[in-house]
Amino acid sequence: MPLRLLSASLALALAAGAAGAVAAPKVFDANITKPEVLAAQEAWCNALVQISTVGAREGQAAARAIAGEVLDTAYGYNLGPVLFKPTLTEAPQTFRTTREGALAYFVGGDPAFPKDDGFALKGWTACTVENVAIHINGDVATTMGNVMITNRNGSVTTVDKTWTFKKTDDGRLRIVLHHSSLPYTSG
Amino acid sequence: MPLRLLSASLALALAAGAAGAVAAPKVFDANITKPEVLAAQEAWCNALVQISTVGAREGQAAARAIAGEVLDTAYGYNLGPVLFKPTLTEAPQTFRTTREGALAYFVGGDPAFPKDDGFALKGWTACTVENVAIHINGDVATTMGNVMITNRNGSVTTVDKTWTFKKTDDGRLRIVLHHSSLPYTSG
Amino acid sequence: MPLRLLSASLALALAAGAAGAVAAPKVFDANITKPEVLAAQEAWCNALVQISTVGAREGQAAARAIAGEVLDTAYGYNLGPVLFKPTLTEAPQTFRTTREGALAYFVGGDPAFPKDDGFALKGWTACTVENVAIHINGDVATTMGNVMITNRNGSVTTVDKTWTFKKTDDGRLRIVLHHSSLPYTSG
Amino acid sequence: MPLRLLSASLALALAAGAAGAVAAPKVFDANITKPEVLAAQEAWCNALVQISTVGAREGQAAARAIAGEVLDTAYGYNLGPVLFKPTLTEAPQTFRTTREGALAYFVGGDPAFPKDDGFALKGWTACTVENVAIHINGDVATTMGNVMITNRNGSVTTVDKTWTFKKTDDGRLRIVLHHSSLPYTSG
């Protein structure tokens, strides 16, 4: 019995030694994380201010070019229809599931979307996010809360905002859902 | 050589025979499907009308009991905070991540939520959903579109609606995100 | 102009102040993590040794009771068929997609599985895991590597092992895939 | 009252009419399906036979080129480490988490993997899959069962096989886990 125990202990010690010698396992993690989501929100805010700034300095065409880049890198129009309900769109063009519709909303100037006057061109100088709750589920994460955007007069507009970000195979995040609405007031 | 080919053919035939004899593989599928999502939307609509009907006939206490059942079966408050921005809530109680906040919104009567007068008690008699786009991703699916609700006077209210449904281990769906807003009008 | 900038700065400062005051967002995270997976592997090892120990001390019936508890808490037979290929099973009963088949493998004594002599009853005294790689994908994580099990004579058996763990709604992990095999040797 | 009901009925009818007129929702579905998995398994079998056939006709270099293409399209080495335990590998090179290790296994000729003699070059003429169970979870699906491969003499080798396929952003499937083992026999 003592011999057996000794033998087992030795085996354990050897196993532990072997374990100590092996390399850490390689990890392939496809999941989205909260820090990634917060960084993507901040990037959205920065992009909005950037489009606004460029638009004010260099005109609509330059703003349009930047907005197109933002859509091509930060939104998931390359993956499928994006569930996008912008703050200020109206029926029957409320929802902008295509890149064209999103671009028209941000910088206007598209006769196919006659009511769009370019949301990103309204002179935004700052943008901050206050998350109320975050739901992380696989490679997608959804945030809900407020976004406060400041115009050049210092006036702050608050919107109720929901975003879903999807982490794609290259490890980057894209917006696949964006529902924005003005706060309700009973008056 | 011909013998070899014959042998190979025989083996193939036998393999095919064996394959034909085996049972179909057992399937364990955790994914959410579009029909499940459409059924859950219809159930939400039916529940809204039911709460309204019971409220009108039997009073707020009865409506409250049913609304509680709906929250306990159709929403994911048992899983974690729900990302819920109801149509008619106001700051600083815009978001209802808890069951209490959701119940107050639907049937009112909770002094902790003084502005809530019971959205589900407004005499709704019909509710229909028009989906613009659906994003299916693992055990969650998000829908975006309009919901039209009719009151007892036949007046129809349209809201912009986003829902995320999560399929839980028992195969049932729960709402984990619900962003509802009145349509924007430029005037 | 300076006034405008001041105004904007003030708004920013106020927004920052407000942001500082708000509570951290509530987080509902359904994803599985590496530490959870490592803990579940260790629990599997401990359970194997425990069944073995109880079997040696108290007999097969007691071991069977414990093995049943392990299957009911650590395996996903309650969710669906488990993809289980144990180390020492033979055709035509190689795969054990049901709880009965798994229990027979671990403790034997089931006439429906005549070749099973109770893998967990072979006097195991230690069990360690060496992961080579881990794949984390949503609520499932798969590990591949070696498991070394030591019997009461101090002899160590190494197996090639793949496990997939699924994190269920209650935040616990269950094995939904388990492929174990003896190492190949060319002789 | 009757007027109200009539009004409600009208509203319902109109709503139904409107619903009938709207387009079907756009669907963006990232989930993997059983038919996709079965097709990927069949493609794996066909690729094995193709490498074997080309190797026999055109030599190892040609087989190596095709095997490289197979690894680059059917395996997920571009995504991260693949959890690959081939049928005939031996310690300390049992696991092949890199493309180099997988290529060496299939076609041999790599001095870094001296025991590899090219599994795909063993004259395989047919390959069939018998799934025992399939687990579908988001964008990954795992299959477990037997694969029967026939050599040019008509001799059939059966292996116990587990695969996990991941559906990537482009809608294609890649193997991220592959555990293959010779059946155990008690003798």
Side-chain angles (χ1 to χ4, degrees):
Chain A
M1 211 91 74
L3 270 176
R4 275 189 197 164
L5 285 176
L6 178 62
S7 171
S9 298
L10 269 173
L12 267 175
L14 291 167
V22 297
K26 298 182 183 182
V27 177
F28 165 19
D29 189 339
N31 285 353
I32 198 168
T33 67
K34 184 181 164 189
E36 290 170 338
V37 169
L38 299 183
Q41 290 181 327
E42 193 178 340
W44 187 91
C45 267
N46 292 343
L48 179 67
V49 172
Q50 189 192 11
I51 299 169
S52 234
T53 305
V54 167
R57 286 187 195 152
E58 308 175 31
Q60 196 201 33
R64 185 179 186 85
I66 291 184
E69 283 173 37
V70 171
L71 289 173
D72 290 339
T73 54
Y75 281 77
Y77 289 106
N78 61 321
L79 302 171
V82 174
L83 284 60
F84 186 16
K85 206 296 283 177
T87 315
L88 303 180
T89 48
E90 296 180 62
Q93 296 186 309
T94 304
F95 304 103
R96 304 299 172 91
T97 56
T98 67
R99 184 186 185 279
E100 290 71 28
L103 188 60
Y105 177 70
F106 282 122
V107 297
D110 186 336
F113 296 88
K115 291 198 175 177
D116 288 356
D117 58 357
F119 176 77
L121 301 182
K122 294 180 183 297
W124 307 118
T125 58
C127 170
T128 59
V129 177
E130 279 182 19
N131 292 304
V132 168
I134 301 178
H135 178 212
I136 299 173
N137 202 76
D139 60 359
V140 292
T142 301
T143 63
M144 181 175 270
N146 289 123
V147 174
M148 279 71 59
I149 45 178
T150 308
N151 72 7
R152 67 169 68 90
N153 301 320
S155 163
V156 177
T157 299
T158 295
V159 298
D160 299 332
K161 182 87 80 182
T162 296
W163 275 308
T164 298
F165 301 90
K166 182 178 170 80
K167 188 173 185 174
T168 51
D169 296 335
D170 57 5
R172 302 175 72 170
L173 272 55
R174 289 177 179 274
I175 296 168
V176 293
L177 160 72
H178 182 175
H179 186 152
S180 191
S181 53
L182 292 176
Y184 169 76
T185 50
S186 55
Chain B
M1 210 89 74
L3 269 176
R4 273 189 197 164
L5 287 175
L6 177 63
S7 172
S9 299
L10 269 173
L12 268 175
L14 290 168
V22 297
K26 298 181 183 183
V27 176
F28 164 21
D29 189 339
N31 285 352
I32 198 168
T33 66
K34 184 181 164 189
E36 290 171 338
V37 169
L38 299 183
Q41 289 181 328
E42 192 179 341
W44 187 91
C45 268
N46 292 343
L48 178 68
V49 172
Q50 189 192 11
I51 299 170
S52 235
T53 305
V54 167
R57 285 188 197 151
E58 307 176 33
Q60 196 202 33
R64 186 181 186 84
I66 291 184
E69 282 173 37
V70 170
L71 289 172
D72 290 340
T73 53
Y75 281 76
Y77 288 106
N78 61 320
L79 302 170
V82 174
L83 284 61
F84 185 16
K85 206 296 284 176
T87 315
L88 303 181
T89 49
E90 296 180 62
Q93 295 186 310
T94 305
F95 305 102
R96 304 299 171 91
T97 56
T98 65
R99 185 187 185 278
E100 289 72 27
L103 188 59
Y105 177 70
F106 281 121
V107 296
D110 186 335
F113 296 88
K115 290 198 175 177
D116 288 355
D117 59 356
F119 176 78
L121 302 182
K122 293 179 184 298
W124 307 117
T125 58
C127 170
T128 59
V129 177
E130 279 182 21
N131 292 303
V132 167
I134 301 179
H135 178 213
I136 299 173
N137 202 76
D139 60 0
V140 292
T142 301
T143 63
M144 181 176 270
N146 289 123
V147 173
M148 280 71 60
I149 45 178
T150 308
N151 71 8
R152 66 170 69 90
N153 301 321
S155 163
V156 178
T157 299
T158 295
V159 298
D160 299 333
K161 181 88 79 182
T162 297
W163 276 306
T164 299
F165 300 91
K166 182 178 169 80
K167 188 173 184 175
T168 51
D169 296 335
D170 57 5
R172 303 175 72 169
L173 273 55
R174 289 177 178 274
I175 295 168
V176 293
L177 160 72
H178 182 174
H179 186 152
S180 191
S181 53
L182 293 176
Y184 170 76
T185 50
S186 56
Chain C
M1 213 90 76
L3 271 175
R4 273 190 197 164
L5 287 176
L6 178 63
S7 172
S9 299
L10 270 173
L12 269 175
L14 291 168
V22 297
K26 298 181 183 183
V27 176
F28 163 20
D29 190 339
N31 285 353
I32 198 168
T33 68
K34 185 181 163 189
E36 289 171 339
V37 169
L38 299 183
Q41 289 181 328
E42 192 178 341
W44 187 90
C45 267
N46 292 344
L48 179 68
V49 173
Q50 189 191 11
I51 299 169
S52 235
T53 305
V54 167
R57 285 187 197 152
E58 306 175 33
Q60 196 202 32
R64 185 180 187 85
I66 291 183
E69 283 173 35
V70 170
L71 289 173
D72 290 339
T73 53
Y75 282 76
Y77 288 107
N78 61 321
L79 302 171
V82 174
L83 283 61
F84 185 16
K85 206 297 284 177
T87 315
L88 303 180
T89 50
E90 295 180 63
Q93 296 187 308
T94 305
F95 305 103
R96 304 298 171 93
T97 55
T98 65
R99 183 186 185 279
E100 290 69 27
L103 188 60
Y105 177 69
F106 281 121
V107 296
D110 185 336
F113 296 88
K115 290 198 175 176
D116 289 355
D117 59 357
F119 176 78
L121 301 182
K122 294 179 183 297
W124 307 116
T125 59
C127 170
T128 58
V129 178
E130 278 182 20
N131 292 303
V132 168
I134 301 178
H135 178 212
I136 299 173
N137 203 77
D139 61 359
V140 293
T142 301
T143 64
M144 180 175 271
N146 289 123
V147 173
M148 281 71 60
I149 45 177
T150 308
N151 71 8
R152 67 169 67 91
N153 301 321
S155 164
V156 177
T157 298
T158 295
V159 298
D160 300 332
K161 181 88 76 182
T162 297
W163 276 307
T164 299
F165 300 90
K166 182 178 170 79
K167 188 173 183 174
T168 50
D169 296 335
D170 58 4
R172 303 175 72 169
L173 272 55
R174 288 177 179 275
I175 296 168
V176 292
L177 160 71
H178 182 174
H179 186 151
S180 191
S181 53
L182 292 176
Y184 170 76
T185 50
S186 56
Chain D
M1 210 91 73
L3 270 176
R4 275 189 196 162
L5 285 176
L6 178 62
S7 171
S9 298
L10 269 173
L12 267 175
L14 291 167
V22 297
K26 298 181 182 181
V27 176
F28 164 20
D29 190 338
N31 285 353
I32 198 168
T33 67
K34 185 181 164 189
E36 290 172 339
V37 170
L38 299 183
Q41 290 181 328
E42 192 178 342
W44 187 91
C45 267
N46 291 343
L48 179 68
V49 173
Q50 188 193 11
I51 298 170
S52 234
T53 305
V54 167
R57 286 186 195 152
E58 307 176 32
Q60 196 202 33
R64 185 180 186 85
I66 291 183
E69 282 174 36
V70 170
L71 289 173
D72 290 339
T73 53
Y75 281 76
Y77 288 106
N78 61 321
L79 302 171
V82 173
L83 284 60
F84 185 16
K85 206 297 283 178
T87 316
L88 303 181
T89 50
E90 295 181 62
Q93 296 186 309
T94 305
F95 305 102
R96 304 300 171 92
T97 56
T98 66
R99 183 187 186 279
E100 290 71 27
L103 187 60
Y105 177 70
F106 281 120
V107 297
D110 185 337
F113 297 88
K115 291 198 173 176
D116 288 356
D117 59 356
F119 176 78
L121 302 182
K122 293 179 184 296
W124 308 117
T125 58
C127 170
T128 58
V129 177
E130 279 182 17
N131 292 303
V132 168
I134 301 178
H135 178 212
I136 299 173
N137 202 77
D139 60 359
V140 292
T142 300
T143 63
M144 180 174 270
N146 289 123
V147 173
M148 280 71 59
I149 46 179
T150 309
N151 71 8
R152 68 170 67 90
N153 301 321
S155 164
V156 177
T157 299
T158 296
V159 298
D160 299 331
K161 182 87 78 181
T162 297
W163 276 307
T164 299
F165 301 90
K166 182 178 170 80
K167 188 173 185 175
T168 51
D169 296 335
D170 58 4
R172 302 175 72 170
L173 272 55
R174 288 177 178 275
I175 295 169
V176 293
L177 160 72
H178 182 174
H179 186 151
S180 191
S181 54
L182 293 176
Y184 170 76
T185 49
S186 57

